[in-house]
Amino acid sequence: MSSDSSKKRKPKVIRTDGAPQESKRGRVDPDQDVKYYSEEAEVELRDPSKDYELYKQTCQELQRLMAEIQDLKSKGSKDSAAAIEERRIQSCMYFMTLKKLNRLAHIRLKKGRDQTHEAKQKVDAYHLQLQNLLYEVMHLQKEITKCLEFKSKHEEIELVSVDEFYKEAPPEISKPNITLNEPHQQTLARLDWELEQRKRLAEKYKECLASKEKILKEIEVKREYLSSLQPRLNSIMQASLPVQEYLFMPFDQAHKQSETARHLPPPLYVLFVQANAYGQACDQKLAVAIDGSVEDAKALYKPPEDSQDDESDSDAEEEQTTKRRRPTLGVQLDDKRKEMLKRHPLSVTIDLKCKDDSELHLVFYYLLNLNVLTVKSRVSTAAELSSPVSAGDLLSPGCLLSCLYPGDHGKRTPNPANQFQFDKVGILSLSDYVADLGHPYVWVQKLGGLHFPKDQPQHTVTAESSLSASHMELTMKLLRTRLQSRLALHKQFASLEHGVVPVSSECQQLFPSKVVARLAKWAALPYEDYLELHYTKDVVEAGLAEDTHLYYTVLVERGTAKLQAAVALNPGYSSMPPVFSLCLSWKGERTGSNDDNIRAMESEVNVRYRELCGPRPGYQLLTNQLQRLCVVLDVYLETECHDTSVEGPKEFPQEKMCLRLARGPSRMKPFKYNHPQGFFSHR
C-alpha cells in the first residue's frame, strides 16, 4: 500500500455530552468522516452494577500499582526506572477510567433528578386537581345543608294550636273543607288568622298608649304641684327653727343627721345610734354628730364603671405607662401601707360637757381594712387654763384616755388578724401611726359593738348593738370622771409649781394649823429616771410603776433636812392613789430600807390614803398626801433626840403635841394626827 489513494483516512471523533456541536471554525471538512460520541447515550447502554464492579477493580489495581511503585522506589535499583514508568502509565490509564466512571455517575444522578422532578410535577398537578374537586364537593355539601336547614319566617311565629284555630276563627278564614286535607292551605289560613288578631291587638295598643299619655300628663301636673310645695315647706321649716331651738327640739338637724347616718359603716352606725339614745335618755349634756364627706362615703359603695375606650385611647395609655418610671419597692410599700390604714370618710363626734362648762371632744374613726375603731380626744374649757410645765401630759391626746379600763393603753390593735395584715406591708406596730389615726382602745371597739375574742377567733366580726348598749353608760361616766380629775390636777399642778400646797376648807381638819415644812419643788420626772432611783426599786419590783403612769419628783424642805419623794401617778387617779417613795437627806441618807420611820411615813401617805380622800369624788387626794408628807416630816424632825455634844439650841424645836415621842424597840414616832384634840399619837 504505497499508493496514497489506497490509504484510508483516519476518522475524526468529537466527544459531546449531548447533541452534536458545531466546531469552533463553524465548518467541517466534507471529505473527512466525522463520528460523534455521546456519553449520555452510553449511560443508557451501560449497566450501573457493572460500572460499580469496574470501579472497585480499578481502585484495587491502582492500590496494587501504587504499592509496587513504592516498593521499587524503596529498593532504589537502577533498572527499576523503566518498570516504574510502565506502572505510572498504567496508573494514568486507570485514573482516566475512574474519571469516566465519575462522569457517568454524575450523568446518571442528573437524569435521576430530572425524572424525580417530572414525577413530582405530575403528583402536584394531580394533587391540585384533587383539591379542586374536594372544594367543589364541600361547596355542594354546604349548599345542600343550607337548603335542608332553610326555615321560613312563619316558623318563628308562635301560632295558635290547630284545635283553637278551628274553634275561634270564622269559616271564611278557616275554610275547613279545604284546609283539613291540605297542610299548606291550612298554614296559610292560620297565618291569615294571626294577622287578623295582630291588627286587633295593634288597635288596642294604640288605645293604651293614649291612656298612658293622659295619665303621664296628670302625673306631671301633680309633680309640678309637689315641686312648688317643697320651697314652701322649706320656708316653713326655716321659720320654725327659732321655735325648735327654744323648745330644744332640733327636728331639722336630727333629720339631716339620720339621713347622713345611713352612709356610716356598721360599727360607727351602732356607736351613733347608741350614744344618741343614751344622750336623749340619761345625759342631756352629751351631744352626738356626724362629720365628713357624704359624697366620698357614697363613692366607696359605687361599683366601678366599665371603661369602653377606643383603641387609640388604650394605645395612648399604654405609651404613657411605658414612658413613666416604674415605682420602686419602697414607694409600693408606702402605697400599700396607706391603703391598709385608710379611714372611712365619715366620723362620729361625741361632746361630753361637765358642770364647770369644760368639754371633752371625742372623734371616732373607722379603719376600713383593719375593721377597728380609733378615737382622738381634745379638751376645751370655759376659761383659759394656765400652762404649768409639769402638767404637759395631763391633757395630751395620747395620755388623757390611757388606761380608762385597766391595761387598755391603746397602743396595740385589738384585732388579732391585723398582725398578719401588718406583716404583708412591713408595719411593725400600730403605735407608730396612732398620732394620725387615733388610739384603738378596747372600750372604743365595744362602744361600736365590736368584740375580738382571743380564745375563739372569728373570721368576720360584726357590730352588735347589745354590746355597745351594755358598755355605754359606764364608759361615759368614766370619761367624764377622767376629764374632771385631770382638770383638777391641772389646777393643782399650777399651785404646786409655785411651792403652794392647796388644801380645801373641807380638808383643813385633817392637818394641824401650823405646818413648818414647805414644798420646795414639784416637777415632772421621766419614766427612765424614775427607774434609776435607788429608793423606788420596791415599787418597781411590785409592779406598781408602768410606762403608762405619770411620774413626778417632790422636794420638801425644813431647815437643813431635805425630803425627796418620787410620785407614781396612776392614769386612773383618783380611784387609784398615787404611790410615794421617800428619801430623807439629813445627817446621812435615810430611806425605807434603812429607817423604819421613813417606811412608816410612806405608809401614812400610801396606805392611809382613804383618810385623805376628802369629800367625793376625792380629787384633793394628791394635795392632801403632799400636805400630810409635810406634817409627818415635821413630826419626824421634832421628835428626834437632841445631840448634847452640839452646843446651841435644838435645830428643830418641838411644836407638835405628842403623847409619846417614841415607842417600841424600833423607836417608832407618833405620826397619827387626832382632830379636834390636836395631838399626835401612835397607830
Side-chain angles (χ1 to χ4, degrees), residues 138-195:
M138 183 179 64
H139 178 70
L140 292 174
Q141 287 178 348
K142 286 184 178 180
E143 292 296 328
I144 292 170
T145 305
K146 188 182 297 184
C147 293
L148 293 176
E149 293 179 353
F150 174 77
K151 290 184 180 181
S152 177
K153 286 291 183 180
H154 78 277
E155 295 180 2
E156 300 176 0
I157 302 174
E158 295 182 3
L159 300 176
V160 297
S161 63
V162 177
D163 297 337
E164 188 177 354
F165 166 68
Y166 284 112
K167 184 178 179 181
E168 296 181 356
E172 59 270 13
I173 294 179
S174 61
K175 299 177 183 179
N177 53 349
I178 300 175
T179 58
L180 285 174
N181 298 324
E182 295 184 11
H184 178 65
Q185 294 296 330
Q186 186 185 62
T187 304
L188 293 177
R190 291 174 67 188
L191 289 174
D192 291 338
W193 174 240
E194 183 71 20
L195 178 61

Side-chain angles (χ1 to χ4, degrees), residues 516-517 556-562 584-587 590 633-643 648-656:
V516 182
V556 180
E557 295 180 348
R558 180 177 177 181
T560 59
K562 295 183 179 180
L584 178 61
S585 299
W586 181 62
K587 296 181 181 181
R590 308 180 186 188
L633 179 60
D634 285 343
V635 174
Y636 183 92
L637 297 175
E638 292 176 8
T639 55
E640 277 292 304
C641 297
H642 179 63
D643 190 359
K650 189 177 181 181
E651 182 180 3
F652 303 108
Q654 184 175 354
E655 298 180 358
K656 307 293 187 296

Side-chain angles (χ1 to χ4, degrees), residues 444-644:
V444 176
Q445 316 308 317
K446 292 182 178 179
L447 290 184
L450 297 177
H451 178 55
F452 304 98
K454 296 183 180 179
D455 53 347
Q456 297 179 354
Q458 299 178 358
H459 296 288
T460 56
V461 178
T462 57
E464 300 178 2
S465 299
S466 58
L467 180 63
S468 175
S470 61
H471 288 78
M472 183 64 66
E473 183 175 3
L474 178 59
T475 302
M476 293 303 159
K477 289 181 179 179
L478 290 176
L479 288 171
R480 185 173 277 109
T481 302
R482 175 64 63 88
L483 175 61
Q484 292 174 349
S485 64
R486 291 298 174 91
L487 290 175
L489 285 174
H490 195 279
K491 294 178 181 178
Q492 293 169 14
F493 284 4
S495 300
L496 295 178
E497 287 188 358
H498 292 86
V500 179
V501 181
V503 180
S504 62
S505 58
E506 295 87 353
C507 300
Q508 290 291 343
Q509 60 181 1
L510 301 176
F511 312 104
S513 58
K514 184 178 181 181
V515 180
V516 182
R518 65 180 186 84
L519 178 66
K521 179 183 177 183
W522 171 270
L525 182 67
Y527 177 59
E528 294 77 10
D529 296 346
Y530 181 87
L531 297 178
E532 293 177 358
L533 297 175
H534 62 90
Y535 53 90
T536 60
K537 291 183 179 179
D538 295 339
V539 178
V540 176
E541 292 174 357
L544 300 177
E546 299 179 0
D547 57 349
T548 56
H549 290 24
L550 301 175
Y551 298 94
Y552 302 94
T553 179
V554 180
L555 178 62
V556 180
E557 295 180 348
R558 180 177 177 181
T560 59
K562 295 183 179 180
L563 179 63
Q564 293 181 348
V567 184
L569 186 66
N570 192 290
Y573 176 86
S574 60
S575 59
M576 299 296 293
V579 179
F580 285 73
S581 301
L582 304 181
C583 177
L584 178 61
S585 299
W586 181 62
K587 296 181 181 181
E589 190 174 87
R590 308 180 186 188
T591 62
S593 59
N594 57 19
D595 192 334
D596 293 336
N597 284 301
I598 297 296
R599 187 181 296 109
M601 293 169 62
E602 291 178 348
S603 177
E604 287 291 329
V605 179
N606 297 330
V607 180
R608 312 291 178 181
Y609 72 93
R610 296 188 184 278
E611 301 174 0
L612 305 173
C613 288
R616 294 181 65 86
Y619 297 146
Q620 296 291 327
L621 175 60
L622 177 63
T623 55
N624 290 345
Q625 285 178 308
L626 291 173
Q627 186 70 1
R628 174 165 283 188
L629 191 62
C630 296
V631 171
V632 295
L633 179 60
D634 285 343
V635 174
Y636 183 92
L637 297 175
E638 292 176 8
T639 55
E640 277 292 304
C641 297
H642 179 63
D643 190 359
T644 56

Side-chain angles (χ1 to χ4, degrees), residues 139-405:
H139 178 70
L140 292 174
Q141 287 178 348
K142 286 184 178 180
E143 292 296 328
I144 292 170
T145 305
K146 188 182 297 184
C147 293
L148 293 176
E149 293 179 353
F150 174 77
K151 290 184 180 181
S152 177
K153 286 291 183 180
H154 78 277
E155 295 180 2
E156 300 176 0
I157 302 174
E158 295 182 3
L159 300 176
V160 297
S161 63
V162 177
D163 297 337
E164 188 177 354
F165 166 68
Y166 284 112
K167 184 178 179 181
E168 296 181 356
E172 59 270 13
I173 294 179
S174 61
K175 299 177 183 179
N177 53 349
I178 300 175
T179 58
L180 285 174
N181 298 324
E182 295 184 11
H184 178 65
Q185 294 296 330
Q186 186 185 62
T187 304
L188 293 177
R190 291 174 67 188
L191 289 174
D192 291 338
W193 174 240
E194 183 71 20
L195 178 61
E196 185 68 23
Q197 284 184 323
R198 293 200 177 194
K199 288 180 178 179
R200 295 177 185 176
L201 292 175
E203 293 177 359
K204 189 175 181 180
Y205 174 70
K206 291 180 180 179
E207 294 176 0
C208 292
L209 280 180
S211 176
K212 179 183 175 182
E213 292 293 333
K214 182 179 179 181
I215 295 173
L216 286 177
K217 289 181 180 179
E218 294 178 357
I219 292 174
E220 188 65 27
V221 171
K222 294 180 180 180
R223 185 175 294 162
E224 291 178 358
Y225 172 74
L226 292 176
S227 60
S228 63
L229 186 62
Q230 183 65 31
R232 298 180 184 179
L233 293 176
N234 291 336
S235 61
I236 293 173
M237 291 295 295
Q238 194 70 24
S240 66
L241 287 179
V243 180
Q244 295 180 25
E245 294 176 359
Y246 181 76
L247 298 176
F248 300 102
M249 300 169 64
F251 296 114
D252 188 39
Q253 184 179 0
H255 178 70
K256 291 180 180 179
Q257 290 288 331
S258 62
E259 289 294 325
T260 308
R262 294 189 303 168
H263 305 287
L264 287 173
L268 285 181
Y269 181 78
V270 170
L271 173 63
F272 172 77
V273 172
Q274 295 298 328
N276 201 4
Y278 174 75
Q280 294 177 4
C282 305
D283 194 347
Q284 298 296 330
K285 294 186 178 181
L286 185 144
V288 186
I290 301 175
D291 294 332
S293 174
V294 180
E295 298 299 327
D296 294 343
K298 291 180 180 178
L300 288 177
Y301 302 102
K302 285 184 179 179
E305 297 180 356
D306 297 333
S307 58
Q308 300 177 352
D309 298 332
D310 297 337
E311 293 182 358
S312 59
D313 296 339
S314 61
D315 295 340
E317 289 180 0
E318 290 180 0
E319 292 178 0
Q320 290 180 0
T321 52
T322 53
K323 291 180 180 179
R324 292 176 185 169
R325 187 176 181 181
R326 182 175 295 177
T328 60
L329 182 60
V331 176
Q332 293 177 357
L333 277 178
D334 290 340
D335 295 339
K336 290 181 179 179
R337 289 169 187 161
K338 291 179 181 179
E339 183 64 24
M340 181 70 67
L341 303 176
K342 185 178 179 181
R343 296 189 305 200
H344 194 275
L346 297 179
S347 60
V348 175
T349 303
I350 296 180
D351 296 335
L352 278 172
K353 294 183 180 180
C354 299
K355 294 180 181 179
D356 56 353
D357 292 337
S358 59
E359 192 169 357
L360 175 62
H361 304 276
L362 300 175
V363 184
F364 295 87
Y365 301 98
Y366 177 68
L367 304 185
L368 294 169
N369 296 314
L370 301 183
N371 192 26
V372 294
L373 291 175
T374 60
V375 64
K376 284 187 176 183
S377 60
R378 182 175 57 86
V379 177
S380 61
T381 56
E384 185 177 357
L385 295 174
S386 59
S387 301
V389 178
S390 58
D393 293 335
L394 283 178
L395 301 178
S396 64
C399 181
L400 177 60
L401 304 180
S402 178
C403 296
L404 189 67
Y405 289 88

